[in-house]
Amino acid sequence: MTKRIIIIGGGYVGVQLAKALDDKADVTLIEPRSHFVHAPAMIRAVVAPDTLDQGLIPYDALLKNGKVQRACAKSIAATGVTLDDGTEVLGDYIVVATGSGNAMPFKPATDSIETFRTDNARIHAMLEAAQNVAIVGAGAVGTELAGEIAHFMPNKKVTLISSEPSLFPTMPSKFGSAVQAKLNNAGVTTIFGTRANSLESMTEPYAGELQLSNGDTVVADLIFPAIGSRAASTILETLPGITKGASNRVKTDPWLRPSDLPNVFAAGDVAESGDAMTIVAISRQTPWLEKLLTSLIAGKKVEEMAKYKPWGKAPFLVPLGPQIGNSYLVMFTAGNAITRLMKGKDLFVSKYRKMLNQS
């Protein structure tokens, strides 16, 4: 009998895993949105909105045999998933890959892609009208946004604020210092080691004034909160044996199981598996899950399979617009040319359009 695999969440892990298993099992991908939202492209799209629709990719051509069910998953049991309308989807194995949330305009606030398009246009208009822009949070999102604004809107005064002592402190120091130098050369002011005490919104940009923990005040026509992602783990919270970790992520065993249910797996940003919450960091989970589930379909037991091994330190690519940036590629740090070719020029848009079978 053909095994039934349910994947909850049509993000990076969900899309790739569903496609990989489409000819091996009866696959149902449960996803409330009509389009895959390619996150790196959304950072550029707020600055250059004509690029938005290339990074919003329909799910309708993803699977040839299985199906993409546009719905919200409400609860999980050993036998399957219940949707928000009460419909039950039966499955032998369930993978939860619900991802994480971030402030607009980097990720949608709702499941409506049309609303997201409207939000993107509104925030772009605010950015166009602003002269002074402050970005609170210097992770990948905040740093890349600063670089995009500096490239496409070089007349804006951009200030990047971080509570960390330096840029990307968990990476080799020369990587962070090289990215900071390029930001500064592009006209971006960087402030480290101080918190924004008066952030009025964590979810979307606004005009206002920031009181910093060092006593300084930053007045900006537009303030972007970019202080990190939080995992969308609500659906897992009622399962037996769940333990929460940092950033709302759920801890897993060595086979990416988050609970006492042996046929339920968690992957991507929602799983505290030892990988960071980046697209590249979670990239090795998908082929491992494909191999694991293929073996389970063939009758093997989970404990007979090799345990998942997270990255020690995953590659990390930080474009500052389409031309410059730096990349940490495990064995060495690369500069403008490699970063531009690998990510900056295209932001992997063509890769994911091809993955979802869109031209």
Side-chain angles (χ1 to χ4, degrees):
M1 182 189 296
T2 302
K3 294 294 184 180
R4 300 160 300 182
I5 296 177
I6 301 170
I7 301 169
I8 304 173
Y12 294 94
V13 171
V15 162
Q16 294 176 75
L17 188 61
K19 187 171 183 179
L21 295 172
D22 193 30
D23 60 353
K24 300 175 182 177
D26 179 1
V27 175
T28 300
L29 175 64
I30 300 172
E31 166 56 50
R33 293 178 183 144
S34 59
H35 291 59
F36 174 85
V37 180
H38 180 41
M42 300 303 102
I43 301 171
R44 181 167 295 170
V46 74
V47 185
D50 57 327
T51 65
L52 177 68
D53 279 335
Q54 284 298 301
L56 297 175
I57 311 170
Y59 289 107
D60 54 12
L62 173 64
L63 301 178
K64 295 179 179 178
N65 304 309
K67 65 178 179 179
V68 178
Q69 186 149 354
R70 190 176 173 192
C72 286
K74 183 179 179 181
S75 62
I76 299 169
T79 54
V81 175
T82 301
L83 306 181
D84 56 358
D85 66 357
T87 303
E88 291 188 37
V89 181
L90 300 179
D92 299 291
Y93 304 105
I94 300 164
V95 179
V96 181
T98 42
S100 59
N102 211 319
M104 284 197 304
F106 315 121
K107 290 187 178 181
T110 72
D111 295 330
S112 168
I113 293 300
E114 285 308 313
T115 298
F116 184 56
R117 287 192 177 102
T118 301
D119 289 335
N120 173 268
R122 174 175 58 84
I123 295 170
H124 172 73
M126 294 168 68
L127 177 59
E128 272 199 319
Q131 291 301 310
N132 297 295
V133 179
I135 301 167
V136 180
V141 171
T143 301
E144 290 184 30
L145 177 63
E148 296 287 344
I149 297 172
H151 176 84
F152 287 100
M153 299 177 169
N155 294 325
K156 307 290 185 190
K157 184 181 186 303
V158 180
T159 303
L160 180 64
I161 303 163
S162 174
S163 60
E164 298 287 357
S166 60
L167 204 57
F168 307 122
T170 63
M171 307 299 292
S173 59
K174 65 178 183 179
F175 174 79
S177 60
V179 176
Q180 182 183 352
K182 290 177 182 179
L183 284 172
N184 294 158
N185 288 340
V188 176
T189 299
T190 49
I191 301 174
F192 295 104
T194 185
R195 294 182 177 276
N197 291 330
S198 56
L199 203 58
E200 292 178 14
S201 174
M202 306 278 279
T203 57
E204 64 177 283
Y206 66 95
E209 182 178 286
L210 290 171
Q211 300 294 331
L212 304 184
S213 58
N214 64 2
D216 291 344
T217 300
V218 174
V219 179
D221 303 313
L222 192 60
I223 299 168
F224 284 93
I227 54 175
S229 301
R230 284 184 63 78
S233 58
T234 302
I235 193 168
L236 288 165
E237 290 174 355
T238 58
L239 296 185
I242 285 290
T243 302
K244 285 285 191 74
S247 300
N248 216 35
R249 304 175 94 182
V250 173
K251 295 185 178 183
T252 65
D253 75 1
W255 294 277
L256 298 186
R257 293 180 297 187
S259 72
D260 296 338
L261 299 183
N263 63 329
V264 176
F265 303 86
D269 284 356
V270 78
E272 190 175 280
S273 59
D275 291 318
M277 295 171 76
T278 70
I279 298 167
V280 176
I282 64 173
S283 63
R284 63 169 54 183
Q285 295 180 23
T286 306
W288 183 87
L289 277 167
E290 179 191 354
K291 184 177 180 180
L292 174 77
L293 290 164
T294 301
S295 297
L296 294 178
I297 290 168
K300 290 188 177 181
K301 294 182 179 179
V302 170
E303 289 76 9
E304 296 173 351
M305 302 298 297
K307 297 175 181 179
Y308 176 71
K309 293 182 179 180
W311 287 96
K313 192 178 288 291
F316 191 48
L317 288 72
V318 183
L320 303 173
Q323 299 298 325
I324 66 172
N326 274 73
S327 297
Y328 170 75
L329 300 174
V330 183
M331 299 300 293
F332 65 98
T333 297
N336 294 340
I338 290 178
T339 304
R340 178 172 63 248
L341 289 173
M342 290 185 69
K343 183 179 178 183
K345 182 180 179 181
D346 176 62
L347 299 175
F348 299 123
V349 167
S350 57
K351 171 185 174 179
Y352 287 101
R353 293 194 71 84
K354 182 178 180 180
M355 185 175 294
L356 278 92
N357 299 314
Q358 301 286 340
S359 59

